Amino acid sequence: MKTLKVLDWPSKRFYGETHHFYRWKKNLLEHDLKVEFYYDHRDKRLKGADYLLLHSRYFADGWQNIHTRTSKNEDELIMYLLEMKNTTGKLIWFDAADSSGSSDFPIISFVDVFMKKQRLKNLDYYTDSSAANDLRIWLNEVPDDQKTRFVPCPQDQLHKIKLGWNIGFNDYRYFGYKMSRLSNYLSYKVYPTHLSTYDKDRSYDLAFRGTIHKDGGSRNMISYQRNHVLNLFGHLNLHIASGGNVSKSQYWKELRDSKLSISPFGWGEICYRDFETFISGSVLIKPQMDHLETYPNLFIENDTYVPVNWNLEELEGRLEYMASHYDEYRHIARNGQEKYFNAINDAEGFIQAFKQNIE
């Protein structure tokens, strides 16, 4: 029996990126992997593990946040990593950044495994120090002086970058605020994910809540794609559920009653809206995802989602055509929902993939 100790992100330990470790704790035990959770890096019980997984956002108030990163907190983190590595079989850094890029490579030489939620198929991008490369690969066309730089991965450390898991394993069941604390412990047999049938009648052509970001949507800004989508609405002859924030129940109601759902890139390529769309039985429309690897891989062009170019120039015509020919696309909603449901209930598949990437 081996022990996996997880230094979790305390504020998001319910329903978040480690949810499936809590949910499948018994399944992991059957595979000779005992999981223990910790919420304080100073806890002496963290030492002596076969595997120690550090959720990067645990350090979000210091080094992991590029806006608060300093040489002092970097030195402190490196000292901590060295200390833990000396007492651990394998030290795993789970890079919880939203994008397939990474700003965490300065510490990769101090860990044994560097896990990504989504990994670029072209691994050479991580080692390239070219000024042409942005942290977010879809923003590479912006002027060099406006790019978000990242420290390249050393060539001899590239083998450590492994595929972890994406936020598809988060708990998307509907909870009231206080009830969310039951997320990791409430059985899916007792309280399952509520899926809306893909073939129900839907009154909206499209559901997309949001507001124009103050950066104005220039191409070099993270909010460009979202702003572009919102700016289209005045030109579309569609019945759209849009506007500012609404209650969670209203948001879900609109999405479950919508034919189409757009999920643009933001801080990263993968968004909560992707999986909310699968649950709602709407047809997912996203910028092309064929540049990355992710697990579970639910992004299959024209099978589980409809792709558009990163610049979104074709989006207006695509939306109008899809809304008027909706019956031609219902099967995509069905496929996405089925693959999502199968993935989030496949403990065996996850455990095998995870063990393969840490051993």
Side-chain angles (χ1 to χ4, degrees):
M1 180 70 66
K2 293 185 177 181
T3 303
L4 167 67
K5 298 183 180 181
V6 180
L7 179 61
D8 209 350
W9 185 15
S11 64
K12 297 292 184 181
R13 66 184 185 272
F14 303 110
Y15 62 80
E17 289 163 336
T18 53
H19 167 65
H20 51 303
F21 283 98
Y22 293 88
R23 177 188 176 192
W24 291 332
K25 193 173 181 180
K26 290 182 180 179
N27 303 79
L28 286 155
L29 200 59
E30 292 171 359
H31 283 263
D32 297 320
L33 198 57
K34 181 183 178 183
V35 183
E36 300 175 2
F37 302 95
Y38 298 87
Y39 313 102
D40 186 340
H41 71 284
R42 297 164 296 186
D43 194 321
K44 294 180 179 180
R45 293 173 296 172
L46 278 168
K47 296 182 177 181
D50 294 292
Y51 305 101
L52 174 57
L53 188 148
L54 306 178
H55 193 302
S56 69
R57 292 202 190 276
Y58 176 90
F59 304 94
D61 292 334
W63 182 84
Q64 199 273 332
N65 185 333
I66 60 175
H67 300 294
T68 58
R69 181 175 296 182
T70 65
S71 57
K72 182 177 183 296
N73 57 34
E74 180 169 311
D75 288 344
E76 290 172 349
L77 176 59
I78 290 173
M79 290 298 294
Y80 178 72
L81 295 176
L82 288 171
E83 178 186 0
M84 301 312 293
K85 191 172 181 180
N86 286 335
T87 67
T88 300
K90 281 197 175 178
L91 185 60
I92 305 162
W93 181 264
F94 177 64
D95 178 8
D98 293 324
S99 79
S100 51
S102 180
S103 59
D104 289 2
F105 290 138
I107 56 92
I108 193 171
S109 62
F110 301 99
V111 300
D112 298 300
V113 179
F114 189 97
M115 281 194 154
K116 289 287 300 170
K117 291 194 294 187
Q118 45 267 346
R119 184 177 68 170
L120 291 172
K121 289 180 180 177
N122 178 18
L123 294 180
D124 291 339
Y125 189 90
Y126 294 129
T127 62
D128 190 351
S129 59
S130 169
N133 288 347
D134 192 277
L135 177 66
R136 296 171 179 85
I137 192 171
W138 63 95
L139 296 179
N140 273 352
E141 299 303 317
V142 306
D144 288 345
D145 61 352
Q146 297 179 30
K147 291 186 185 298
T148 303
R149 305 292 179 188
F150 67 95
V151 176
C153 175
Q155 185 69 46
D156 63 353
Q157 301 294 313
L158 190 61
H159 67 282
K160 294 181 179 179
I161 303 177
K162 303 293 185 179
L163 186 60
W165 63 92
N166 61 46
I167 57 175
F169 286 123
N170 286 29
D171 189 352
Y172 292 94
R173 294 175 295 177
Y174 184 82
F175 291 99
Y177 176 70
K178 292 183 179 179
M179 285 286 290
S180 66
R181 292 178 177 272
L182 296 177
S183 165
N184 293 338
Y185 311 103
L186 185 58
S187 168
Y188 278 63
K189 292 181 180 179
V190 175
Y191 188 51
T193 304
H194 171 52
L195 304 177
S196 292
T197 57
Y198 69 93
D199 56 352
K200 60 172 283 193
D201 291 333
R202 295 169 181 265
S203 60
Y204 292 110
D205 293 312
L206 172 67
F208 188 89
R209 287 279 173 179
T211 55
I212 300 292
H213 196 272
K214 64 182 180 181
D215 63 37
S218 57
R219 285 183 180 271
N220 61 314
M221 295 298 179
I222 290 168
S223 62
Y224 165 72
Q225 288 191 0
R226 183 186 65 179
N227 286 358
H228 182 88
V229 170
L230 291 168
N231 281 321
L232 279 181
F233 289 170
H235 307 287
L236 296 171
N237 185 27
L238 301 177
H239 188 200
I240 303 173
S242 63
N245 292 337
V246 293
S247 67
K248 189 175 181 180
S249 60
Q250 178 66 21
Y251 170 80
W252 274 108
K253 183 178 184 298
E254 292 173 353
L255 194 54
R256 292 179 189 275
D257 205 23
S258 178
K259 299 173 184 176
L260 312 176
S261 174
I262 308 173
S263 184
F265 295 168
W267 292 102
E269 294 98 326
I270 295 176
C271 176
Y272 299 126
R273 197 189 308 265
D274 302 342
F275 310 104
E276 293 166 350
T277 299
F278 293 142
I279 291 169
S280 300
S282 299
V283 178
L284 177 64
I285 304 165
K286 273 191 78 66
Q288 288 178 312
M289 299 280 282
D290 57 357
H291 64 294
L292 56 74
E293 299 173 308
T294 191
Y295 184 83
N297 180 23
L298 304 177
F299 305 98
I300 305 169
E301 289 189 7
N302 298 311
D303 181 58
T304 61
Y305 85 104
V306 176
V308 291
N309 293 335
W310 287 354
N311 59 23
L312 305 184
E313 290 177 355
E314 62 187 319
L315 181 59
E316 182 175 355
R318 182 67 57 85
L319 287 173
E320 291 178 335
Y321 182 87
M322 290 179 65
S324 61
H325 298 78
Y326 174 55
D327 286 343
E328 297 178 14
Y329 294 90
R330 284 180 186 264
H331 70 283
I332 293 177
R334 178 197 65 207
N335 294 344
Q337 187 174 90
E338 288 179 354
K339 285 183 169 62
Y340 167 75
F341 181 80
N342 291 336
I344 65 167
N345 290 292
D346 185 11
E348 183 73 19
F350 167 74
I351 293 169
Q352 292 293 347
F354 178 70
K355 290 182 71 174
Q356 180 179 344
N357 281 310
I358 64 174
E359 291 177 349

